[in-house]
Amino acid sequence: MGDSYEQHVVLFPFMSKGHTIPLLHFARLLLLRHNTAVTVFTTPANHPFVAESLHGTTASIVVLPFPTVDGIESTDQLPSMSLFYKFATATATMQPHFEHALENEITIPRISFMVTDSFLWWTLQSATKFNVPRFAYYGMNCYSVCLCREAVFSGIFGGAQPDDELVTLTRFPWIKLCKNDFEAAFRNSDPKSDAYEFNTKVISAVGCSYGMLVNSFYELESVFVDHINEESCPKSWCVGPFCLPQHTPNVHLIPGEKPRWIEWLDEKLEEKESVVYVAFGSQAEISDEQFYEIAKGLEESMVNFLWVIRKAEWTLPDGFEERVEKRGIVVREWVDQREILMHESVEGFLSHCGWNSVLESICAGVPILAWPMMAEQHLNARMVDEEIKIGLRVETSDGSVRGFVKCEGLRKSVKELMEGEKGREGRKKVMKLADIAKNAVQEGGSSCSTLNLLFQEICTHH
Ligand code: UDP
Ligand code: UDP
């Protein structure tokens, strides 16, 4: 690493696609500052993905040994998310290797600060040992962070009301939510449970960190950014969307060759037909019965769709692909989701509302049909539908937030997104937000200025 760099930033993403991808975009964003060196930490099995994504950049990569959970090094390959806490806890075995590397391999130039995933709580101890400021990368937005905290403070989990009954939040009186908007593991207050122990470690390490790095932009959720920064520690720094400043090519495809689904989208553009993009991220678990209803709903909706299926075990009804031929395409490969969302044929996104997907949709100006499944996705779905109003929620058969979705409900919701009033309103709103997001990351924009401020503050105090 050359001496010409004035700054050196260490990044340590958590081992799942949804947590790694945004930090790799952030690495590229940092490298646009010519005086900044970047070192990314990862594990052996995740190394190829990280290396390919950072190909052509000056980023250094350090690979740490990881004893794995049943031979698995990424949560999106776990056979069940019930192994999540076992996996997350095992990451702490990397601590001595991490510290050894910090000490020996990457001392020149001195590390200015590190950004490590909030799930890697133990990296705070390493940062403290080496007197390096730690920013916790939160996979969530400020809206969801505020709602989680308010729910805990206001004691709604302990209250007697049924799981689906709406409660008004005192601090945000325009927001109503229910217990079922939160994962059971998050609501678990048994101090002996894995979830409680893990969440407590994560939350207290975030609380003692220098700051939270948030993949969001101020204008999108100013009330919630201000709320965090006025009422609690540490400060949140919104410097996103990370996916915007530089478009990284899809490393899994042969350069110059258009993937078949992009060619298919090109054809739809010529025919002036719009397409709904259907994808549920890299982690979602969907039952066979639910999967069948999705297929049937898409078939009966008569809209054009591009459906990305991530899990090998999800099987389509017999003859599905022949029956929807021309109108629908099913993809089982890894896709460049941003390329799809940016395609002019795509006019709607049926999404599980992982935060990266929501942001990518906002940047592409595409309205969302929200179908949250796990983690804080239910809060993101409320944000999409009720707070920033860039779409609607899928209709569940019993009207509850975690209810089963029948094919009729899906068909109706998809139609509303693509042809109805809510879809139209959402599209108008999201296109405005896309422009605001683009401005935020440009010179003088809120995210760009916040990142400059962050560097200034670190340089002055460290
Ligand atoms: N992604 C992708 N291609 C795929 C599947 C996912 O590029 O075939 C990307 C997607 O663009 C997003 C990330 O993987 O950046 C998924 O993150 P998100 O927060 O949306 O959901 P998660 O996978 O964490 O549930
Ligand atoms: N979390 C979750 N499901 C939820 C809400 C939160 O898995 O419904 C996770 C979240 O990803 C985070 C942790 O619980 O890692 C703590 O979230 P919280 O926002 O309460 O932390 P704080 O902001 O108080 O530090």
Side-chain angles (χ1 to χ4, degrees), residues 262-401:
I262 297 296
E263 278 177 356
W264 183 85
L265 287 175
D266 289 346
E267 281 166 30
K268 289 286 162 248
L269 191 63
E270 275 162 30
E271 293 160 21
K272 296 198 169 38
E273 287 182 353
S274 65
V275 174
V276 60
Y277 168 52
V278 184
F280 304 108
S282 57
Q283 305 255 166
E285 291 176 343
I286 299 173
S287 70
D288 292 347
E289 297 76 35
Q290 188 58 89
F291 190 78
Y292 179 80
E293 296 293 321
I294 300 173
K296 218 163 143 227
L298 286 176
E299 186 175 343
E300 289 179 8
S301 71
M302 298 311 285
V303 301
N304 299 306
F305 64 88
L306 189 168
W307 185 9
V308 174
I309 298 178
R310 289 246 59 84
K311 305 252 157 120
E313 65 273 20
W314 291 342
T315 48
L316 291 163
D318 278 346
F320 176 82
E321 283 175 89
E322 292 78 58
R323 288 196 301 276
V324 298
E325 203 213 345
K326 290 207 165 66
R327 193 166 63 70
I329 182 170
V330 176
V331 177
R332 288 180 181 275
E333 289 101 309
W334 180 263
V335 300
D336 183 342
Q337 176 161 298
R338 289 182 300 162
E339 185 184 20
I340 293 175
L341 284 167
M342 291 283 183
H343 198 286
E344 277 179 75
S345 293
V346 174
E347 298 223 11
F349 183 11
L350 169 53
S351 170
H352 73 311
C353 290
W355 181 235
N356 298 300
S357 290
V358 174
L359 261 187
E360 289 160 12
S361 208
I362 289 173
C363 294
V366 174
I368 295 174
L369 173 57
W371 188 347
M373 306 209 168
M374 55 186 269
E376 89 301 1
Q377 292 154 15
H378 289 81
L379 302 176
N380 294 341
R382 283 208 183 274
M383 186 191 196
V384 161
D385 179 25
E386 295 161 21
E387 189 71 27
I388 55 177
K389 301 187 168 64
I390 57 162
L392 63 149
R393 287 177 79 121
V394 73
E395 191 180 294
T396 56
S397 58
D398 63 1
S400 72
V401 296

Side-chain angles (χ1 to χ4, degrees), residues 108-179:
I108 304 165
R110 199 183 174 283
I111 303 166
S112 316
F113 61 90
M114 61 169 81
V115 181
T116 61
D117 197 283
S118 60
F119 288 161
L120 307 173
W121 77 93
W122 47 269
T123 55
L124 174 67
Q125 292 167 11
S126 314
T128 310
K129 265 186 211 166
F130 290 88
N131 194 23
V132 171
R134 180 233 184 180
F135 289 82
Y137 169 66
Y138 240 63
M140 303 202 281
N141 50 48
C142 292
Y143 169 88
S144 299
V145 169
C146 284
L147 266 47
C148 287
R149 289 179 178 175
E150 271 311 293
V152 173
F153 292 148
S154 60
I156 71 163
F157 301 141
Q161 76 278 6
D163 287 356
D164 272 299
E165 194 173 296
L166 290 173
V167 190
T168 306
L169 291 180
T170 327
R171 307 289 270 286
F172 308 105
W174 64 97
I175 298 177
K176 285 189 170 60
L177 44 69
C178 64
K179 288 183 191 173

Side-chain angles (χ1 to χ4, degrees), residues 22-23 26 29 115-116 135-146 149 206 211-218 220-221 224-225 228-229 234-243 355-356 359 376 383 441 446-448 450-451 454:
L23 275 194
F26 184 62
L29 189 152
V115 181
T116 61
F135 289 82
Y137 169 66
Y138 240 63
M140 303 202 281
N141 50 48
C142 292
Y143 169 88
S144 299
V145 169
C146 284
R149 289 179 178 175
V206 170
M212 297 197 295
L213 193 85
V214 186
N215 188 9
S216 184
F217 53 105
Y218 182 74
L220 183 67
E221 45 170 358
F224 304 94
V225 183
I228 292 178
N229 291 346
K235 199 174 147 180
S236 61
W237 301 77
C238 289
V239 294
F242 299 161
C243 62
W355 181 235
N356 298 300
L359 261 187
E376 89 301 1
M383 186 191 196
V441 296
S446 63
S447 293
C448 189
T450 302
L451 187 58
L454 188 157

